[in-house]
């Protein structure tokens, strides 16, 4: 059995731990610095922590839970990583270089139980949840990668983090709150709430838990349908929550966080690209504090689903724009390296 990861502890838990192991109280701050500022992955890196305390910590915890297995760089600069976990499972993370900052795309589960028809991660079902430390350590590796190989022009700018990798974040309630807490905590990663976006397929129980937690980060809601029937067809598990309820929860969350909720709409030829769907989507989005991201499908290689033609995408967008809905077309980066939606892991699994 692997030990727990030290990074799974929130910064506030380090103090009692250090004291229990016989260290001075101020060592907790140094430890948090090594974990979340200096991106340490080996006990030897913790130079100012006395050897006996290091050994005591190492007796109970692991410092590294992810080993880089693959790194691919797309022609558009997107960097895709495949990590192996201590139990041999794999997860993906992505660095997406934006104009003046990097966006980290993080995974929360190995596989996913939501069964969305257009998503590669869904294909194998849920394998397991990631621990908080496994979620946070993706950031550690991505930051180390950027430090070793900076994106030209980005300077020291903070990164953004989006939970748009593998898994359904709101279906991993065992780890998401701690991961978010450490990301935002002053003695953790000290990220601004504005730089964090939770993306969800919108299971109702998960959305209600997020509302109760009130983390203040941004929310993206993948809708998949403009009626309950449409939504259930493409997103069978989250589709069990009535659309009206999902929209209401998304609007309530936006009012709570003070930021509009983004509705993510994946455009699939013949299925989610119809003019009447655009009109219904405009109505839903116009009913509250929402904006819309249109995402032409990133086609999976084993599937009949295809993205619409560019002119159909633009016609769909035009209906939203004319209805006064703030919207953006999001083209997936890194298509040449299978950077979207669990495709790298899947290619390895299917050989
Ligand atoms: N489970 C979460 C996070 C992972 S999916 C969620 O559903 O949001 C992240 C985003 O990728 C979602 O907006 C989802 O709709 C989108 N997505 C999934 N598969 C896709 C594909 N094949 N092409 C384009 N977007 C996809």
């Amino acid at each position: 059995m692997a030990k727990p990861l030290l990074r799974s502890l929130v910064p506030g838990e380090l103090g009692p731990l250090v004291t229990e192991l016989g260290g001075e109280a101020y060592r907790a701050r140094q430890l948090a610095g090594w974990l979340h500022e200096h991106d340490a992955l080996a006990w030897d890196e913790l130079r100012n922590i006395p050897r006996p305390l290091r050994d005591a910590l190492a007796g109970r915890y692991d410092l590294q839970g992810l080993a880089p297995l693959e790194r691919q760089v797309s022609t558009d600069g997107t960097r895709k990583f495949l990590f192996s976990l201590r139990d041999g499972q794999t997860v993906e993370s992505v660095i997406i270089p934006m104009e003046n900052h990097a966006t980290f795309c993080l995974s929360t589960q190995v596989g996913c139980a939501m069964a969305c028809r257009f998503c590669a991660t869904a294909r194998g079902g849920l394998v397991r949840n990631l621990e908080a430390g496994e979620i946070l350590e993706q950031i550690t590796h991505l930051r180390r990668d950027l430090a070793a190989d900076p994106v030209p022009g980005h300077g020291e700018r903070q990164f953004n983090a989006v939970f748009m990798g593998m898994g359904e974040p709101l279906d991993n309630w065992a780890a998401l709150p701690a991961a978010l807490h450490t990301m935002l905590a002053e003695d953790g990663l000290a990220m601004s709430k504005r730089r964090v976006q939770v993306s969800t397929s919108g299971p109702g129980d998960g959305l209600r838990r997020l509302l109760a937690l009130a983390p203040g980060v941004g929310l993206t809601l993948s809708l998949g349908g403009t009626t309950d029937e449409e939504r259930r067809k493409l997103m069978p598990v989250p589709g069990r929550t009535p659309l009206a309820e999902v929209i209401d929860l998304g609007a309530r969350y936006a009012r709570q966080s003070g930021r509009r909720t983004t509705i993510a709409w994946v455009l699939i030829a013949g299925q989610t690209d119809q003019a009447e769907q655009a009109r219904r989507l405009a109505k839903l989005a116009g009913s509250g504090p929402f904006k819309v991201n249109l995402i032409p499908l990133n086609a999976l290689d084993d599937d009949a689903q295809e993205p619409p033609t560019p002119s159909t995408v633009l016609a769909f967008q035009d209906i939203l724009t004319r209805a006064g809905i703030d919207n953006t077309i999001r083209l997936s980066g890194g298509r040449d390296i299978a950077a979207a939606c669990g495709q790298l892991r899947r290619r390895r699994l299917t050989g």
Side-chain angles (χ1 to χ4, degrees):
M1 263 299 279
K3 295 166 196 153
L5 285 170
L6 190 59
R7 263 188 196 78
S8 288
L9 301 187
V10 296
E13 292 176 302
L14 295 175
L17 173 67
V18 161
T19 315
E20 189 195 331
L21 297 177
E24 305 96 322
Y26 70 92
R27 300 289 181 198
R29 252 215 109 96
Q30 293 177 331
L31 207 49
W34 286 113
L35 292 175
H36 305 300
E37 225 177 291
H38 306 301
D39 298 320
L41 286 172
W43 296 109
D44 286 347
E45 292 175 44
L46 279 52
R47 285 187 306 276
N48 59 0
I49 307 285
R51 173 62 68 185
L53 180 56
R54 260 191 261 173
D55 289 345
L57 286 165
R60 278 216 213 164
Y61 292 93
D62 279 348
L63 192 50
Q64 179 166 6
L66 274 61
L69 210 57
E70 271 189 48
R71 175 188 191 266
Q72 302 184 351
V73 183
S74 161
T75 47
D76 64 19
T78 304
R79 302 178 193 176
K80 174 96 178 190
F81 301 81
L82 188 70
F83 296 107
S84 69
L85 306 171
R86 289 168 299 167
D87 59 1
Q89 295 294 339
T90 54
V91 281
E92 301 178 15
S93 319
V94 187
I95 299 176
I96 307 158
M98 309 299 273
E99 209 167 312
N100 52 27
H101 69 269
T103 294
F104 291 178
C105 182
L106 307 176
S107 293
T108 53
Q109 299 179 312
V110 180
C112 185
M114 298 297 114
C116 301
R117 299 267 183 257
F118 46 82
C119 176
T121 305
R123 297 298 162 86
L126 176 66
V127 178
R128 72 166 173 90
N129 279 331
L130 295 187
E131 295 168 36
E134 289 172 323
I135 296 173
L136 294 166
E137 200 185 310
Q138 295 170 58
I139 296 176
T140 309
H141 287 275
L142 300 188
R143 288 215 307 192
R144 284 174 80 117
D145 189 79
L146 276 185
D149 184 6
V151 176
H154 275 193
E156 295 291 285
R157 208 68 77 90
Q158 260 275 22
F159 61 93
N160 285 15
V162 298
F163 288 94
M164 296 186 186
M166 294 170 45
E168 169 48 55
L170 300 187
D171 192 37
N172 181 3
W173 205 250
L176 188 74
L180 284 175
H181 181 89
T182 298
M183 287 166 81
L184 302 178
E186 207 44 61
D187 46 359
L189 286 157
M191 293 183 72
S192 152
K193 289 171 184 170
R194 308 244 136 217
R195 293 192 172 275
V196 182
Q197 190 83 15
V198 169
S199 182
T200 181
S201 56
D205 51 347
L207 285 172
R208 276 185 291 273
R209 284 194 196 114
L210 189 70
L211 261 169
L213 183 72
V217 302
L219 180 68
T220 299
L221 201 55
S222 183
L223 222 48
T226 53
T227 64
D228 284 326
E229 197 192 344
E230 275 177 24
R231 183 166 151 83
R232 261 198 309 270
K233 212 152 110 192
L234 280 181
M235 305 174 71
V237 179
R240 288 176 196 154
T241 307
L243 192 59
E245 200 176 324
V246 171
I247 291 291
D248 175 58
L249 289 165
R252 275 161 60 188
Y253 185 86
R255 287 191 286 272
Q256 179 187 80
S257 66
R259 294 164 70 175
R260 280 185 295 171
T261 291
T262 301
I263 294 176
W265 185 263
V266 179
L267 285 160
I268 308 170
Q271 294 186 56
T272 58
D273 63 347
Q274 312 290 304
E276 81 234 37
Q277 288 171 312
R279 286 190 287 270
R280 284 196 297 265
L281 178 60
K283 218 161 164 194
L284 288 170
S287 72
F290 296 106
K291 55 187 172 176
V292 176
N293 273 354
L294 297 172
I295 314 167
L297 178 80
N298 209 324
L300 314 183
D301 43 17
D302 63 343
D303 203 274
Q305 293 176 325
E306 282 175 16
T309 61
S311 66
T312 306
V313 171
L314 291 174
F316 193 96
Q317 177 185 39
D318 196 49
I319 293 173
L320 294 178
T321 306
R322 280 168 193 271
I325 304 302
D326 201 349
N327 71 83
T328 320
I329 297 175
R330 285 287 163 101
L331 294 171
S332 329
R335 283 174 185 256
D336 54 328
I337 55 164
C341 321
Q343 294 185 14
L344 186 60
R345 167 176 174 265
R346 196 167 158 72
R347 267 183 205 177
R348 272 184 82 97
L349 287 178
T350 54

